[in-house]
Amino acid sequence: MSYPVEQIANIINASATLRVPATIRYLLTDTRQIIEAETSLFFALGNHPVRNGHQFIATAYKSGIKNFVVTNTFNTANYPKANFLKVKNTLLALQQLAAFHRSQFNYPVIGITGSNGKTIVKEWLYQLLQKDWNIIRSPRSYNSQIGVPLSIWHMGSQHQLGIFEAGISLPGEMQHLQTIIVPTIGILTSVGDAHNEGFSSLQEKIQEKLLLFQQVACLIYCVDDLPKGITLPEVPQFSWGNDEHATLQIQQFTYHTKKTEIRFVYNRNEGTLVVPFSDKASVHNVLTCLCSLLYLKLAIPVIQERILQLHPIDMRMQLKKGIQDCTIINDSYSNDIDSLAIALDYLQQQAAGSKTTVILSDFLESGLPAENLYHKVVHLLRQKNINRCIAIGANSMSNKAILKQAAEETYFFIDTAQFLNEWFRFSFQSEFILLKGARKYAFEQIAALLEQQVHETILEVNLSALAHNLRAYQQLLNPTTKTMAMVKAFGYGSGSVEVAKVLQFYGTDYLAVAYIDEGVTLRKAGIALPIMVMNVEENGFNALIEHSLEPEIFSFQLYHRFHRFLLEQGIEKFPVHIKVDTGMHRLGFEVSEAVQLAQQLVSNNTMWVKSVFSHLASAENPAQDFFTQAQHLQFLNFSDTLQNILNYKFIRHIANSAAIVRHSAMHHEMVRLGIGLYGVNSLNEQGVTLQTVAALKTTIAQI
């Protein structure tokens, strides 16, 4: 579905400057996700001085985008061939547009919220109902103030049912999402402590979540989950639990190794359900799905048959090392056009210019005519510059003429078995391979061929947890405070390139590595962020310059060596970072050396100070707070002296992971995230909720 840009201007009450005719099909908030530039509308989100969508308008314009939603203060003079819709708040404008689009459809919409299980329930409902309905659903966990409107935008007249998640972290957010989703059926999943930090109590958080269900025809929930004092909306309810008044009353759970038997009473009749899971979380989510299917009038024998076919949902795209120096991205738990677009974005992010191959199965029950569907697939693959496409399935074979245009090389197989018999024809070498297949095509067999052999002991790294930890710390900072992330020592064992790509994607401002070769590796992998090198050796100066790495200068000896090198190269004002020793006594200039250093920097003019920093010795220890404060005072004295003589401003950073939580006065212009980023909390107090990033897993040889 598309809208003339003039109509969108009216919908969002924008002051419009229209210079070129345009029809809008796609909404963008990220310039890295362009599908079709000429029909895209870019929303410049945020007023953060460091991470502000308006900063990327020039990039978007160069990429061919000609339609923008901006704030009233944005100057459009530099973009003469673009349309600008000016509003007070670009996020609200995005939500207004999505709400209008939602109002064009009358089919049922399921709205899901809760603390845990939202995405699992959504995906399982999709598995259970896709035979009966043409379903549109949130891709992955697009459940935020931005993700929900982007999900709703994909609703179309070909769909018969919508399933959308809604997630919140602060009071007042759910009302916005309710007006966008307008669910006709509401599901409240398990309620726990996730995102509690934004609310005064668990009760307040639950009441906020329940605002999603003000107008639903039915609210589905577990009565046992709700604490006392919760006021449910005055709508029809379908509850389950041990309570005798529950619509579906649970009588007994019998747990086995790989299944659970559930005895229940529904409509005064006793029944038994066998669930192919034995963990309590999965059983809880299946029961929520059961109630949903009963409400939709599916027969219990049909429900039982379909529930036995449920499979676990892998909540992360699996990124694994492959044969011949390849990287395998396995995203085969769902296969539809929306999830393909997201997977291709992730592939492009990880590949960073390396060769790419997509192995793709047929799309099942897409609701689109085959010709339209495969034209969309071709457009997505070409837009991401995929080098090789391997299509598997009868429908792909029937649409060869269209799919041949998808990549430089295209190959077709009638089924997975044929590919497995002939896969040796391909030379997979140093490339990124995306597996995107519907479950019936058993792409796990392809993954087993392409992935490196699993050793008895592996280090499993959860990049989603890394992103969570980064956001957890960022929430403690002022909007103007930058973040420097430490990826030294191979990312503390977590893989420096993979970690750096995630940090770059999520808006980290600076990276720090231990040695020059680590920085060179990141540059070769496509990392564009500024990188500080902490241990600089003279024989690496050339590589430092060649790869735009910024050295830490911690002594006059190192300063003079680097100055002579820059002088020989005819380089002026090369960016450097000055380290001062404030009491840790590891490396750094003495505080008393500030004047001498500043004078040499001014007279020699070969270096430009990007930042001044120091290390705190005991920021996590309340008993050492007096010493920590003394370190901070010395740091300020050194910085002030240096800045007064240099006569320009630079970044100051002294706060490590612990100080971010415990010493907000030390945040200054930037903070450094080290071991805390990887999930290690050195604090005994409740300052920040971290997730484990790395886990060692091994095979038990003998018991």
Side-chain angles (χ1 to χ4, degrees):
M1 194 167 178
S2 59
Y3 296 90
V5 68
E6 296 87 351
Q7 184 181 3
I8 291 179
N10 290 330
I11 293 169
I12 64 176
N13 300 313
S15 171
T17 301
L18 303 179
R19 297 164 177 148
V20 293
T23 299
I24 303 302
R25 293 189 181 91
Y26 300 98
L27 305 185
L28 282 180
T29 61
D30 190 329
T31 56
R32 293 164 292 192
Q33 298 175 352
I34 300 171
I35 296 174
E36 189 178 276
E38 61 271 20
T39 62
S40 294
L41 178 63
F42 179 79
F43 285 78
L45 297 180
N47 54 9
H48 193 294
V50 178
R51 293 176 292 278
N52 188 326
H54 293 79
Q55 297 174 348
F56 299 98
I57 288 176
T59 301
Y61 187 72
K62 289 178 182 177
S63 301
I65 295 176
K66 297 296 186 288
N67 300 282
F68 300 90
V69 178
V70 297
T71 56
N72 290 327
T73 57
F74 184 76
N75 184 359
T76 66
N78 294 328
Y79 311 96
K81 295 182 179 180
N83 298 322
F84 287 93
L85 310 184
K86 290 191 170 186
V87 296
K88 290 183 178 179
N89 186 309
T90 51
L91 175 58
L92 289 179
L94 172 65
Q95 295 174 343
Q96 281 179 305
L97 180 57
F100 176 86
H101 183 70
R102 165 68 181 92
S103 70
Q104 307 305 298
F105 306 101
N106 294 319
Y107 46 78
V109 169
I110 299 174
I112 305 174
T113 193
S115 300
N116 305 297
K118 296 187 292 295
T119 303
I120 299 292
V121 169
K122 178 198 68 186
E123 293 299 329
W124 279 351
L125 284 176
Y126 175 77
Q127 291 180 31
L128 293 164
L129 294 171
Q130 62 178 326
K131 291 184 179 179
D132 307 309
W133 311 72
N134 186 355
I135 301 172
I136 174 67
R137 69 196 194 280
S138 310
R140 291 289 174 174
S141 52
Y142 268 40
N143 57 31
S144 67
Q145 299 290 305
I146 299 171
V148 167
L150 293 178
S151 299
I152 291 291
W153 183 254
H154 291 288
M155 291 180 72
S157 56
Q158 74 273 23
H159 300 120
Q160 300 166 315
L161 173 68
I163 309 177
F164 298 102
E165 297 179 48
I168 57 170
S169 55
L170 294 170
E173 291 185 337
M174 187 58 83
Q175 192 62 57
H176 293 292
L177 301 186
Q178 191 279 331
T179 59
I180 301 169
I181 300 173
V182 194
T184 56
I185 301 169
I187 295 177
L188 182 67
T189 63
S190 175
V191 179
D193 294 330
H195 304 298
N196 261 4
E197 59 271 16
F199 299 90
S200 61
S201 65
L202 178 63
Q203 285 80 358
E204 183 191 23
K205 183 176 70 172
I206 295 173
Q207 292 294 169
E208 176 74 17
K209 289 180 179 292
L210 289 171
L211 293 176
L212 181 62
F213 310 127
Q214 298 170 84
Q215 302 174 27
V216 298
C218 180
L219 169 58
I220 298 166
Y221 68 101
C222 175
V223 67
D224 302 333
D225 280 354
L226 298 181
K228 293 181 180 180
I230 295 298
T231 303
L232 293 169
E234 295 181 1
V235 296
Q237 299 169 14
F238 194 125
S239 61
W240 69 269
N242 296 314
D243 191 289
E244 61 178 329
H245 300 297
T247 314
L248 182 84
Q249 185 184 3
I250 304 302
Q251 298 288 300
Q252 183 180 2
F253 294 105
T254 304
Y255 294 98
H256 302 278
T257 304
K258 293 184 178 180
K259 68 178 182 179
T260 303
E261 295 179 23
I262 306 169
R263 285 182 49 231
F264 62 85
V265 175
Y266 175 61
N267 281 343
R268 300 183 181 179
N269 296 316
E270 291 191 359
T272 302
L273 183 76
V274 179
V275 174
F277 307 103
S278 57
D279 63 290
K280 292 182 179 180
S282 294
V283 172
H284 189 289
N285 292 329
V286 168
L287 282 168
T288 300
C289 292
L290 169 63
C291 293
S292 306
L293 270 57
L294 289 172
Y295 174 75
L296 292 171
K297 307 299 183 187
L298 272 72
I300 289 180
V302 173
I303 296 173
Q304 175 64 90
E305 179 186 357
R306 294 185 184 179
I307 282 178
L308 287 174
Q309 298 174 18
L310 286 177
H311 55 87
I313 302 300
D314 188 345
M315 293 305 296
R316 302 181 302 274
M317 294 184 196
Q318 297 174 341
L319 184 71
K320 296 188 177 181
K321 288 292 183 183
I323 59 173
Q324 305 296 330
D325 197 35
C326 291
T327 299
I328 312 300
I329 299 173
N330 191 348
D331 188 36
S332 297
Y333 87 88
S334 66
N335 193 31
D336 54 67
I337 197 70
D338 293 327
S339 66
L340 174 63
I342 293 168
L344 288 172
D345 286 337
Y346 187 70
L347 172 66
Q348 188 180 50
Q349 170 205 340
Q350 290 295 324
S354 299
K355 183 178 179 181
T356 52
T357 292
V358 173
I359 303 179
L360 187 69
S361 82
D362 282 351
F363 292 81
L364 303 180
E365 301 176 8
S366 70
L368 293 172
E371 184 175 350
N372 293 356
L373 171 67
Y374 284 103
H375 275 302
K376 284 178 175 287
V377 172
V378 167
H379 188 81
L380 286 171
L381 295 178
R382 286 179 65 85
Q383 195 270 331
K384 299 300 181 185
N385 296 315
I386 301 303
N387 300 109
R388 177 164 52 188
C389 174
I390 299 172
I392 297 175
N395 291 339
S396 299
M397 295 281 281
S398 300
N399 289 274
K400 267 188 181 182
I402 300 173
L403 275 175
K404 278 184 177 179
Q405 308 169 56
E408 299 167 9
E409 303 173 43
T410 53
Y411 304 89
F412 299 87
F413 298 89
I414 191 66
D415 56 24
T416 304
Q418 185 191 7
F419 173 81
L420 294 174
N421 287 332
E422 300 182 32
W423 79 282
F424 58 86
R425 291 168 41 193
F426 300 96
S427 176
F428 296 107
Q429 180 74 45
S430 301
E431 59 192 278
F432 285 73
I433 305 169
L434 170 65
L435 303 182
K436 200 78 178 73
R439 183 167 175 78
K440 85 174 248 191
Y441 289 90
F443 270 27
E444 62 269 17
Q445 298 177 53
I446 300 176
L449 273 179
L450 298 179
E451 292 170 6
Q452 281 184 348
Q453 292 298 311
V454 177
H455 299 283
E456 289 185 347
T457 302
I458 61 170
L459 177 68
E460 184 177 280
V461 179
N462 183 344
L463 296 179
S464 298
L466 183 86
H468 165 86
N469 295 342
L470 174 63
R471 290 192 294 267
Y473 280 108
Q474 286 175 332
Q475 289 174 0
L476 302 176
L477 304 174
N478 290 324
T480 55
T481 304
K482 299 174 184 289
T483 52
M484 172 182 280
M486 313 301 290
V487 290
K488 61 181 183 178
F490 196 50
Y492 292 99
S494 301
S496 58
V497 171
E498 293 82 1
V499 165
K501 286 179 178 179
V502 171
L503 294 171
Q504 179 171 269
F505 185 78
Y506 282 99
T508 304
D509 302 285
Y510 251 96
L511 299 179
V513 297
Y515 299 101
I516 293 173
D517 58 351
E518 293 178 331
V520 172
T521 298
L522 296 182
R523 285 286 184 252
K524 288 182 176 179
I527 300 301
L529 291 174
I531 300 174
M532 181 179 80
V533 180
M534 304 183 75
N535 298 287
V536 179
E537 295 177 352
E538 192 168 359
N539 59 10
F541 285 170
N542 274 312
L544 197 78
I545 305 300
E546 181 182 347
H547 295 282
S548 300
L549 305 174
E550 302 172 5
E552 168 190 319
I553 304 297
F554 52 79
S555 69
F556 280 113
Q557 183 183 41
L558 178 59
Y559 170 82
H560 290 307
R561 287 177 180 174
F562 193 50
H563 165 65
R564 285 194 298 269
F565 173 81
L566 294 174
L567 211 57
E568 292 170 0
Q569 303 297 317
I571 297 173
E572 293 185 353
K573 297 184 177 179
F574 192 84
V576 297
H577 301 262
I578 303 298
K579 184 176 182 182
V580 53
D581 177 18
T582 57
M584 194 169 188
H585 302 314
R586 192 157 65 184
L587 290 172
F589 289 96
E590 297 294 329
V591 176
S592 59
E593 295 174 332
V595 173
Q596 182 185 354
L597 174 62
Q599 289 172 343
Q600 294 198 26
L601 285 165
V602 170
S603 62
N604 291 330
N605 201 35
T606 51
M607 302 178 208
W608 183 269
V609 177
K610 288 290 292 293
S611 82
V612 173
F613 71 104
S614 187
H615 273 287
L616 295 173
S618 307
E620 73 283 355
N621 188 354
Q624 296 293 324
D625 278 354
F626 181 80
F627 181 78
T628 300
Q629 295 293 344
Q631 278 195 271
H632 184 225
L633 184 60
Q634 290 193 70
F635 172 70
L636 292 177
N637 290 338
F638 182 95
S639 303
D640 289 344
T641 300
L642 206 64
Q643 187 164 287
N644 289 336
I645 297 173
L646 295 179
N647 199 29
Y648 60 80
K649 291 185 177 180
F650 44 71
I651 298 169
R652 296 169 299 169
H653 50 110
I654 191 172
N656 56 9
S657 300
I660 292 172
V661 181
R662 297 196 63 247
H663 301 286
S664 59
M666 301 182 191
H667 289 177
H668 298 301
E669 292 80 26
M670 187 158 70
V671 298
R672 292 192 310 277
L673 274 170
I675 199 68
L677 184 64
Y678 300 88
V680 178
N681 191 346
S682 59
L683 304 171
N684 294 322
E685 57 196 72
Q686 298 266 333
V688 62
T689 302
L690 302 178
Q691 294 180 3
T692 301
V693 171
L696 278 170
K697 296 188 176 182
T698 192
T699 302
I700 297 173
Q702 183 177 352
I703 297 178

